[in-house]
Amino acid sequence: MMNCTEAHRFLHAYLDNELDIAQSLDIERHLETCAACRESYDGYQELRDAMKGSSLYFTAPPQLRQRVSSSQRQRDRASFMARTTLWRGLGVAAAACLIVAALAVLLSGIWRSGPTTSPGGGNALSQQVFDSHMRSLTANHLVDIRSSNPDAIKSWFHGKLNYTPYIYDISSDGYTLVGGRLDYLDRQNVAAIVYQYQGHNVNFFLWPTTQGSMPVKMDTIQSYHLANWREEGMNCWAVSNASPDALQNFARLQQSWA
């Protein structure tokens, strides 16, 4: 359990969203029970909000902008001339070495900045799904609407999303529909449909995709299991600490209803 000394050490990093999910959850739990640390957090938050106020910003006059731009262009021109002179003074062999080195750096950068996700969403999106699941459990925000009626949940999402999620009652197979909430994944608002299976919460996320269908792929993060598949123009993710077999069966049931 985090104490006050540790909380104060991480408070600024928490405000700047620099902590991982585990540290963020620890400090959130501490702030819920410690009035002194909560007061410090509120004070820092008010200071940040005040610093964002328009009264602290100054818009440069057009004349200053022109002078800065002109000065920058002159420096750029001088820098370009210096580089040109340097290249002209280099021998062919030295120039070839520089070009090869530059290409190596460029290709290395392209390789490193290439896709870090698999066709099903990959590691980065898996982590987002896991983090959203954990936040819903620890922040007492499992659902925005609590209902076992699929039509009622669909109606609640109307106007909040630019698509209609499919929601099925599969309670006869042991998966009880609890409700739904609005969440944020893959840089967009998405539907989170919540089920419960033998005491385990199952978060089911789905949003539109232009990619084709994909069979269920499983992943595990910190003893939580994730299932990802695509069907009916939807990217589907389910996450729970239920057994992998239970989660795979959940995915099969969703696919059979779609």
Side-chain angles (χ1 to χ4, degrees):
M1 189 71 178
M2 182 174 289
N3 58 38
C4 293
T5 301
E6 293 171 326
H8 277 280
R9 187 190 313 156
F10 292 115
L11 203 52
H12 288 288
Y14 173 70
L15 284 163
D16 293 332
N17 294 318
E18 295 175 351
L19 301 180
D20 60 30
I21 183 65
Q23 291 174 316
S24 296
L25 294 177
D26 284 343
I27 198 168
E28 286 172 4
R29 282 193 289 265
H30 181 78
L31 292 175
E32 289 175 357
T33 59
C34 180
C37 290
R38 183 71 195 189
E39 184 178 355
S40 297
Y41 169 79
D42 291 340
Y44 290 142
Q45 189 64 54
E46 290 176 4
L47 178 60
R48 286 164 59 91
D49 292 341
M51 293 178 67
K52 294 178 182 177
S54 59
S55 60
L56 297 179
Y57 287 87
F58 171 74
T59 302
Q63 297 85 351
L64 178 58
R65 294 180 183 177
Q66 292 174 358
R67 287 199 298 271
V68 171
S69 297
S70 176
S71 177
Q72 183 64 50
R73 285 194 296 270
Q74 291 176 2
R75 285 197 298 269
D76 291 344
R77 189 178 299 113
S79 177
F80 173 77
M81 293 302 295
R83 289 196 301 268
T84 301
T85 301
L86 175 63
W87 273 98
R88 288 175 179 172
L90 291 173
V92 174
C97 289
L98 288 174
I99 291 173
V100 170
L103 285 173
V105 172
L106 177 61
L107 291 174
S108 175
I110 292 175
W111 176 79
R112 292 183 180 181
S113 63
T116 58
T117 61
S118 68
N123 295 334
L125 192 49
S126 297
Q127 188 65 46
Q128 287 186 44
V129 170
F130 169 74
D131 290 347
S132 292
H133 178 73
M134 295 303 295
R135 279 195 298 270
S136 73
L137 299 179
T138 58
N140 195 27
H141 186 205
L142 189 61
V143 293
D144 290 322
I145 174 174
R146 185 173 292 275
S147 175
S148 59
N149 185 333
D151 291 333
I153 301 173
K154 284 182 182 179
S155 297
W156 183 86
F157 278 114
H158 182 70
K160 298 179 176 68
L161 296 170
N162 58 2
Y163 66 96
T164 300
Y166 56 75
I167 306 171
Y168 307 121
D169 181 0
I170 51 177
S171 56
S172 59
D173 294 283
Y175 301 87
T176 304
L177 182 60
V178 177
R181 72 175 184 281
L182 196 63
D183 215 307
Y184 190 83
L185 288 171
D186 201 22
R187 295 176 292 184
Q188 60 186 300
N189 290 327
V190 303
I193 314 302
V194 182
Y195 292 83
Q196 202 166 64
Y197 176 77
Q198 296 183 355
H200 301 281
N201 291 309
V202 180
N203 265 301
F204 176 42
F205 304 95
L206 67 163
W207 64 93
T209 180
T210 57
Q211 295 178 292
S213 298
M214 183 190 75
V216 177
K217 293 187 176 182
M218 299 295 294
D219 194 5
T220 301
I221 300 179
Q222 297 182 21
S223 77
Y224 285 81
H225 306 293
L226 298 89
N228 175 217
W229 69 98
R230 291 194 301 266
E231 61 176 353
E232 300 294 323
M234 289 287 181
N235 192 9
C236 304
W237 286 82
V239 54
S240 177
N241 61 346
S243 69
D245 289 342
L247 203 60
Q248 285 182 315
N249 187 47
F250 174 85
R252 284 193 293 268
L253 289 169
Q254 294 290 339
Q255 289 175 310
S256 66
W257 277 83

